[in-house]
Amino acid sequence: MTSLELVRERLASFAERGAADVSPLYAHLAARAATDDAVAGLLTAAPERFAHPTLLLAAVHRLAQAEPVHPLSRYYPTLGGTHGPDEGTWPLFRDFVLERADRVRELISTRSTQGNEVGRAALLYPALARVKGPVGLVEVGCSAGLLLGIDRYSYRYQSEQAGQVAVGPAKATVGVHCVLELAPGATMPKLPKSVKVGARIGLDRAPADLEDEETYAWLEACVWADQPERLRLLGVAAAAQRKAKPEFVTGDAVADLAKAVALVPEDQPLVVLTSMVLPYVPVVGFVDALRALGRPLTWVSLESYGTGLEHLLPGRAELEDGHVVGLVRVEDGEVRSAEALALAAPRGQRLTWLV
């Protein structure tokens, strides 16, 4: 169980910072839930490490999926709604939630938010391109493992300095767009036409089976309800992966990392990938697990600075409020280098290259 005080703090912070600029609907709902103990209290049913606003909102989204004719759907573009948040949104949401409080609480207590942000592949592609392949790719906290298809997607980067840059397979079924900016003094990153991946291994406490209807419905529910483009991208990437599945390991991000890595052939350069995983995993324990693997590796990450690279690159004030694409090299059980390559919008819309 999680304290109501912590839940309220997280809801208010999410409304002010996490969703404010990208999701008017979720910012609106979270701000009001933060001051409503009946609604906020439902989130206390989750363990503290999972009790984030996105879990409450995903649970409600899932129930709204099952009742698409309910008036609340008018505010959910993923369900065909066209209304923006107004004075009627919160009362309708609150009634919907409290009338189904037992079902919301059950989802919250048995599920966790599972992000499969395909757009993040555009943020990670330039970092992965710095490792000569074909690489053995291990995604930690992979959920359905859609980022393991990073080499199979096409990308269009829009840059003021270079115009539009297209990379990836020309006939890819999944296409991702990203604005690419350069920080002062930075140089344009190398964007090769392709990156090469050999082994693809996903590690997760509960890997998501795309063939299971209820599991897939939950993945859809974890997409924010006013962002239908993300839902479309999830569907296209899921369809592509069903034709070429990676290998999954069920286990803990720290305790079972070696088990997942053991599936990567020794002749393939090892790349460990994390994407918004470290809020749920202790960074010190994770770095120690990387060091204990006993083989050279590159850790490519997309994490907030405070939960990720701050441990290895302290004192970088300019990174404190952002999500950072990081690249860490480990050899002989020691961290040999750590770089903050870019600041990024967490769902892949924008990349600001720093080096």
Side-chain angles (χ1 to χ4, degrees), residues 214-227:
E214 182 56 38
T215 297
Y216 187 70
W218 177 250
L219 297 183
E220 290 186 314
C222 289
V223 175
W224 296 8
D226 57 353
Q227 298 181 354

Side-chain angles (χ1 to χ4, degrees), residues 152 200 239-246:
R152 297 169 175 162
R200 312 167 194 270
Q241 182 171 286
R242 290 187 185 103
K243 300 175 182 178
K245 298 180 182 178

Side-chain angles (χ1 to χ4, degrees), residues 219-352:
L219 297 183
E220 290 186 314
C222 289
V223 175
W224 296 8
D226 57 353
Q227 298 181 354
E229 172 58 20
R230 289 171 58 194
L231 189 64
R232 183 198 68 79
L233 201 55
L234 169 67
V236 175
Q241 182 171 286
R242 290 187 185 103
K243 300 175 182 178
K245 298 180 182 178
E247 189 165 359
F248 291 104
V249 174
T250 301
D252 180 78
V254 173
D256 297 300
L257 180 60
K259 184 192 304 184
V261 166
L263 299 176
V264 176
E266 289 285 344
D267 62 349
Q268 293 184 13
L270 173 61
V271 174
V272 176
L273 176 68
T274 67
S275 169
M276 310 300 286
V277 170
L278 296 186
Y280 309 100
V281 176
V283 63
V284 174
F286 182 69
V287 172
D288 286 346
L290 292 174
R291 294 172 58 241
L293 289 173
R295 60 187 286 185
L297 66 94
T298 302
W299 170 28
V300 173
S301 63
L302 173 66
E303 305 284 350
S304 69
Y305 175 66
T307 60
L309 279 183
E310 185 177 27
H311 175 66
L312 300 174
L313 288 175
R316 296 286 298 273
E318 76 277 15
L319 304 177
E320 288 180 355
D321 294 328
H323 293 85
V324 183
V325 178
L327 190 145
V328 175
R329 298 188 188 274
V330 177
E331 190 172 356
D332 297 328
E334 299 295 335
V335 174
R336 297 300 183 186
S337 64
E339 295 181 89
L341 298 180
L343 288 169
R347 277 159 290 283
Q349 314 95 305
R350 185 175 298 272
L351 185 69
T352 302

Side-chain angles (χ1 to χ4, degrees), residues 55-65 72 76 93 96-97 104:
L55 179 57
L56 170 64
L57 294 163
V60 179
H61 194 186
R62 176 69 192 97
L63 296 182
Q65 286 175 338
L72 181 62
Y76 279 33
F93 178 90
F96 180 88
V97 169
V104 173

Side-chain angles (χ1 to χ4, degrees), residues 78-242:
T78 55
L79 302 178
T82 57
H83 292 200
D86 57 31
E87 67 280 355
T89 311
W90 173 251
L92 195 60
F93 178 90
R94 186 178 192 274
D95 288 348
F96 180 88
V97 169
L98 296 182
E99 287 169 5
R100 297 156 183 80
D102 289 345
R103 293 163 65 192
V104 173
R105 192 178 293 107
E106 180 185 4
L107 285 169
I108 285 172
S109 64
T110 58
R111 296 278 190 173
S112 60
T113 306
Q114 290 184 288
N116 284 270
E117 297 291 349
V118 181
R120 291 176 185 162
L123 309 177
L124 298 164
Y125 186 95
L128 186 61
R130 293 164 74 96
V131 185
K132 187 176 180 180
V135 303
L137 189 59
V138 176
E139 184 186 1
V140 177
C142 65
S143 186
L146 297 182
L147 289 179
L148 290 168
I150 187 170
D151 59 319
R152 297 169 175 162
Y153 305 156
S154 66
Y155 305 90
R156 290 187 183 275
Y157 294 94
Q158 188 64 45
S159 166
E160 183 176 327
Q161 292 79 10
Q164 184 169 272
V165 181
V167 297
K171 296 183 179 180
T173 58
V174 179
V176 184
H177 294 247
C178 180
V179 175
L180 175 58
E181 300 173 327
L182 299 182
T187 58
M188 191 72 179
K190 292 182 179 180
L191 296 170
K193 285 295 184 181
S194 66
V195 295
K196 298 186 183 301
V197 176
R200 312 167 194 270
I201 313 297
L203 172 63
D204 198 279
R205 56 190 292 271
D209 180 3
L210 295 176
E211 304 295 340
D212 182 84
E213 290 185 7
E214 182 56 38
T215 297
Y216 187 70
W218 177 250
L219 297 183
E220 290 186 314
C222 289
V223 175
W224 296 8
D226 57 353
Q227 298 181 354
E229 172 58 20
R230 289 171 58 194
L231 189 64
R232 183 198 68 79
L233 201 55
L234 169 67
V236 175
Q241 182 171 286
R242 290 187 185 103

